[in-house]
Amino acid sequence: MNERFEIPARMRNTGLGLMLFGLLVLIIGAFTLLGGDHSDKTRFWIVLLHNSVFFLLVTVASIFIQAAASLAQGAWIVAYKRVPEAIGANVWVFGLIAMIVMFIIAFGVNIDGHNPIYHWVHPGDDKILQGKSSFLNAGMFVGFTVVTVALWSFFGFKFRSLSLQQEGAPKNSTKIYWATAVWGALFLLVYALTQMSIAPWLWIMSIDAHWYSTMFSWYTFASAFVSGLSVILLFVIALKNQGNLQLVNKEHVHDLGKLMFAFSIFWTYVWFAQYMLIWYGNIPEETTYFKIRQQGPYGMIWYSVFIINFVMPILILMSRPSKRNYFTVCFMALAIIFGHWLDFYIMTMPGPLGEHWHLSWYEIGIFAGFVGILIFTVSRTLASASLVPNNHPLLKEAILHQS
């Protein structure tokens, strides 16, 4: 079986159209916002940071899924493993964009004599920022970001390469299969030291540098991971609708639906635990972070995030039939991605913009541009090799899989 994917004109045109639309919005934003007041200039850069980091963390979740499945010897993913491979192989694209945006913001943006997003760049007489300077400094920011993006990109390419090498290996050979498990273990170690710890601290939490949470990395991981699962499901269903991935059936879709449901609950657990501990402590320097988000101008988005990311999944995805219905799981995947995009929005926006927030043409246009990049790059990678890993040792088990 050699199932090759030919990019449909609609998918190709959608990806290109969204990319061009995003580029046009970026150009218009550069002329209108960069020429405006303090909040307009800040808005131009923080929106780029929000989207670039969000899509980077979402795509890297596909590498995490591959690594975890290889260590668990999971056959359930084999039927559509080319999808997370294709997403992971393009982490370098979003990593490069995020790195450029973050470095420009950290070292090239100076509005009214200070950095409006990363205040730690110019700590001045701020005793709190001075006390954190051993971690929040230019060398740490640049070094850690470059190493992290490079490692994530390498592992994205490596998993894709090993999977394709398996096709040329002797039949029933498990050498590459076990090598993949070793690389998976190495990636999980790297992932634990980056995404589950330092990366969210430097890239997102340092926007509100006076505040910190020991649960923040788990919070961002849960948000990015369930969004990554949703992206994988959408590509799987899109390929099914084109007549590809014939080995994939409702059993596999049910598994993805269960994971989306489970990690929506996990996200809610971390969301509530972080909020509850700070609410119970009632320490002013901690509660300030939530006050502007829950009781201030972002209150509507705050409660919308809770409804979209918890209430909707628990009401819609709890039953078995709903997780096996293609329309239902696609609808929920789209809702989850948008809900967690909003989640990242209120992580990043209140610190730099305060009450001068916007959710209009520029925010939506940049988001659309990143969606276009995702569709275009992943579809090209999917078309470059067979969608069926014919020589994988667990292929037969994947075909007979029951959820």
Side-chain angles (χ1 to χ4, degrees):
M1 185 182 297
N2 182 29
E3 188 177 353
R4 297 300 293 257
F5 171 61
E6 295 183 5
I7 306 175
R10 176 182 293 181
M11 180 178 287
R12 182 179 61 251
N13 294 338
T14 299
L16 287 171
L18 289 174
M19 281 197 299
L20 292 174
F21 177 66
L23 180 61
L24 178 63
V25 169
L26 178 65
I27 294 172
I28 294 173
F31 280 102
T32 58
L33 298 179
L34 289 181
D37 57 18
H38 180 281
S39 63
D40 286 338
K41 294 174 183 177
T42 303
R43 177 188 172 198
F44 176 84
W45 291 110
I46 192 61
V47 169
L48 292 176
L49 178 66
H50 162 222
N51 284 278
S52 60
V53 171
F54 174 73
F55 278 91
L56 172 58
L57 297 184
V58 167
T59 51
V60 122
S62 288
I63 308 178
F64 175 81
I65 292 169
Q66 295 175 72
S70 66
L71 280 178
Q73 301 181 44
W76 53 272
I77 197 175
V78 173
Y80 54 87
K81 73 190 299 286
R82 294 291 194 231
V83 174
E85 288 173 7
I87 298 171
N90 287 285
V91 161
W92 71 273
V93 177
F94 297 96
L96 182 62
I97 294 172
M99 203 159 49
I100 292 172
V101 169
M102 285 189 285
F103 288 170
I104 291 176
I105 290 174
F107 310 113
V109 176
N110 191 314
I111 301 175
D112 299 334
H114 72 283
N115 191 302
I117 297 172
Y118 291 131
H119 301 290
W120 52 265
V121 173
H122 304 293
D125 297 327
D126 193 315
K127 299 299 182 183
I128 295 178
L129 297 185
Q130 290 176 359
K132 297 181 178 183
S133 61
S134 58
F135 177 73
L136 294 178
N137 60 75
M140 181 70 172
F141 188 82
V142 172
F144 179 82
T145 300
V146 170
V147 170
T148 297
V149 171
L151 284 172
W152 288 354
S153 302
F154 166 77
F155 278 102
F157 282 119
K158 188 65 178 179
F159 280 111
R160 175 72 172 176
S161 174
L162 287 171
S163 181
L164 296 180
Q165 287 177 38
Q166 181 71 50
E167 298 302 289
K171 189 172 180 61
N172 299 323
S173 171
T174 59
K175 181 179 179 180
I176 296 176
Y177 172 75
W178 291 115
T180 303
V182 173
W183 283 105
L186 290 173
F187 174 77
L188 292 181
L189 175 62
V190 170
Y191 195 74
L193 296 173
T194 53
Q195 158 64 31
M196 290 185 177
S197 56
I198 302 175
W201 300 345
L202 277 176
W203 299 345
I204 304 175
M205 194 166 71
S206 71
I207 294 173
D208 297 273
H210 283 194
W211 177 84
Y212 70 92
S213 167
T214 55
M215 301 186 69
F216 190 78
S217 291
W218 285 101
Y219 179 64
T220 55
F221 159 73
S223 191
F225 183 67
V226 71
S227 300
L229 288 168
S230 300
V231 170
I232 291 172
L233 183 137
L234 289 174
F235 272 105
V236 167
I237 299 300
L239 291 172
K240 286 287 291 180
N241 289 339
Q242 293 299 321
N244 300 110
L245 292 183
Q246 297 177 19
L247 298 181
V248 175
N249 53 44
K250 289 187 177 181
E251 304 296 331
H252 304 97
V253 173
H254 187 187
D255 275 347
L256 281 171
K258 285 193 293 187
L259 286 169
M260 286 164 53
F261 172 76
F263 278 91
S264 292
I265 305 305
F266 175 70
W267 170 86
T268 309
Y269 160 72
V270 181
W271 178 90
F272 176 74
Q274 178 177 254
Y275 173 79
M276 184 270 293
L277 291 172
I278 292 175
W279 172 83
Y280 184 81
N282 198 27
I283 302 172
E285 55 265 33
E286 294 183 355
T287 56
T288 300
Y289 180 87
F290 288 100
K291 186 174 180 62
I292 189 175
R293 288 164 171 81
Q294 182 186 9
Q295 301 175 1
Y298 298 87
M300 180 180 67
I301 299 178
W302 168 270
Y303 289 105
S304 297
V305 165
F306 178 76
I307 292 170
I308 296 172
N309 295 336
F310 172 65
V311 177
M312 288 178 63
I314 203 169
L315 291 179
I316 298 175
L317 286 179
M318 180 176 286
S319 68
R320 176 181 172 87
S322 66
K323 292 190 284 283
R324 302 170 71 87
N325 182 285
Y326 288 6
F327 173 81
T328 303
V329 290
C330 283
F331 170 76
M332 280 309 306
L334 290 170
I336 287 171
I337 293 169
F338 180 67
H340 286 284
W341 179 81
L342 286 177
D343 190 21
F344 272 73
Y345 181 88
I346 58 173
M347 289 183 208
T348 54
M349 296 295 162
L353 291 180
E355 62 182 15
H356 303 289
W357 68 281
H358 301 269
L359 193 57
S360 57
W361 63 274
Y362 183 61
E363 287 74 17
I364 301 302
I366 297 300
F367 173 68
F370 275 90
V371 171
I373 295 172
L374 182 66
I375 294 173
F376 182 77
T377 56
V378 173
S379 61
R380 283 174 60 87
T381 305
L382 287 170
S384 65
S386 171
L387 292 178
V388 179
N390 294 294
N391 203 24
H392 196 281
L394 299 181
L395 181 60
K396 182 178 180 180
E397 187 177 344
I399 296 173
L400 301 176
H401 172 71
Q402 289 188 341
S403 178

